[in-house]
């Protein structure tokens, strides 16, 4: 699928770097609206995980593209499922994030997943979070949000998330890995991490999740 897709249902695109709070905010907003939810970052994390289990290298472009056609992913209340099995904890490690960042840089992989992502736009609406939702995947979304946060706040949030899941993490290492991953994603040639021209920018550094959700809901209500 190429070109700008005619959106038949409302799409709210929420983008931002690691630790900006887009995952928590997006799931909460989707629940409040009663809409479907798409975590695009999880797709690349699942793909990277599947590649690891199938011994497909992150530089094996034909192999990775073939795997994109085998992805059966569901976003449920209890987490992300691959072929019916929960994989949320496995794909949320920083190591999985690094692998996903490398995989997501491959143009052929992104093109292969584009139509699948767009097909998730179903009535009554879709909240989609990622790094290029408003700029590339859903350029005609009725509302585009780009969340940012300071590097220190981003690392702190990721640190707390991983600690809650039982992972042993070092915040200094985490800060470095987040900065490196965001730099890779911001400088990649295809679908770089950047706000869409018509996106609303929200700095979440000094806001809690409820405050960000309220701010996003204000923007949604303006447009609906």
């Amino acid at each position: 699928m190429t070109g700008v897709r005619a959106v038949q249902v409302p799409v709210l695109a929420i983008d931002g770097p690691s630790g900006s709070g887009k995952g928590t905010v997006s799931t909460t907003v989707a629940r409040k609206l009663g809409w479907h939810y798409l975590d695009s970052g999880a797709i690349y994390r699942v793909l990277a995980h599947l590649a690891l289990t199938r011994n497909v290298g992150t530089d094996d472009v034909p192999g990775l593209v073939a795997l994109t056609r085998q992805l059966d992913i569901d976003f449920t209340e209890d987490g992300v499922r691959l072929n019916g099995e929960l994989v949320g904890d496995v794909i949320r490690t920083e190591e999985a994030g690094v692998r996903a960042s490398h995989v997501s840089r491959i143009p052929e992989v992104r093109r292969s997943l584009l139509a699948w992502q767009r097909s998730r736009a179903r009535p009554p609406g879709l909240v989609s979070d990622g790094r290029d939702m408003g700029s590339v995947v859903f350029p005609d979304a009725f509302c585009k949000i780009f969340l940012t946060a300071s590097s220190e706040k981003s690392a702190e949030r990721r640190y707390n998330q991983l600690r809650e899941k039982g992972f042993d993490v070092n915040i200094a290492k985490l800060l470095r890995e987040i900065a490196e991953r965001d730099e890779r994603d911001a400088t990649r040639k295809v679908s770089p991490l950047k706000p869409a021209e018509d996106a609303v920018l929200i700095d979440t550094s000094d806001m809690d999740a409820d405050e960000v959700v309220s701010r996003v809901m204000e923007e949604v209500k303006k447009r609906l």
Side-chain angles (χ1 to χ4, degrees):
M1 183 181 297
T2 59
V4 176
R5 187 184 62 88
V7 175
Q8 299 178 356
V9 296
V11 174
L12 167 60
I14 301 180
D15 291 307
S18 303
S20 60
K22 62 182 182 292
T24 299
V25 171
S26 297
T27 54
T28 303
V29 170
R31 186 167 58 250
K32 284 180 174 291
L33 293 172
W35 289 4
H36 299 286
Y37 170 61
L38 170 65
D39 179 352
S40 69
I43 300 172
Y44 291 100
R45 286 172 176 263
V46 169
L47 177 61
H49 167 68
L50 188 60
L52 184 65
T53 61
R54 300 282 182 84
N55 292 317
V56 176
T58 55
D59 58 348
D60 181 354
V61 177
L64 290 169
V65 171
L67 287 182
T68 65
R69 304 188 182 108
Q70 301 173 31
L71 293 179
D72 181 9
I73 307 174
D74 286 317
F75 300 99
T76 62
E77 290 187 0
D78 54 351
V80 182
R81 291 182 178 273
L82 171 62
N83 299 323
E85 295 186 8
L86 284 171
V87 293
D89 288 345
V90 175
I91 66 171
R92 294 303 178 188
T93 65
E94 281 307 300
E95 290 79 8
V98 170
R99 289 197 299 271
S101 181
H102 286 292
V103 168
S104 68
R105 292 173 64 89
I106 302 173
E108 293 86 348
V109 170
R110 300 196 75 88
R111 283 196 294 269
S112 183
L113 289 172
L114 188 58
W116 185 91
Q117 292 180 83
R118 289 174 171 169
S119 72
R120 300 302 95 183
R122 299 170 179 174
L126 174 72
V127 177
S128 180
D129 90 58
R131 300 189 168 213
D132 65 342
M133 294 297 98
S135 58
V136 175
V137 181
F138 297 107
D140 43 5
F142 85 101
C143 184
K144 302 174 185 178
I145 305 291
F146 193 90
L147 304 181
T148 64
S150 67
S151 299
E152 292 75 17
K153 177 58 71 171
S154 297
E156 178 186 331
R157 287 171 177 164
R158 284 295 293 151
Y159 176 82
N160 291 333
Q161 289 172 352
L162 293 170
R163 291 284 292 179
E164 287 174 3
K165 292 181 178 296
F167 294 110
D168 184 18
V169 290
N170 178 281
I171 194 166
K173 180 183 178 184
L174 190 59
L175 178 60
R176 184 173 63 254
E177 290 176 343
I178 287 176
E180 291 173 351
R181 190 196 321 164
D182 287 343
E183 176 66 15
R184 279 197 304 272
D185 290 351
T187 57
R188 67 190 177 208
K189 294 182 179 179
V190 180
S191 302
L193 167 65
K194 67 176 184 178
E197 292 184 359
D198 53 347
V200 176
L201 274 60
I202 302 175
D203 187 339
T204 69
S205 300
D206 299 319
M207 302 171 69
D208 62 27
D210 289 340
E211 291 173 323
V212 182
V213 168
S214 296
R215 179 76 174 83
V216 171
M217 289 297 293
E218 287 177 8
E219 295 297 330
V220 170
K221 290 175 181 177
K222 288 179 185 177
R223 294 163 173 76
L224 282 180

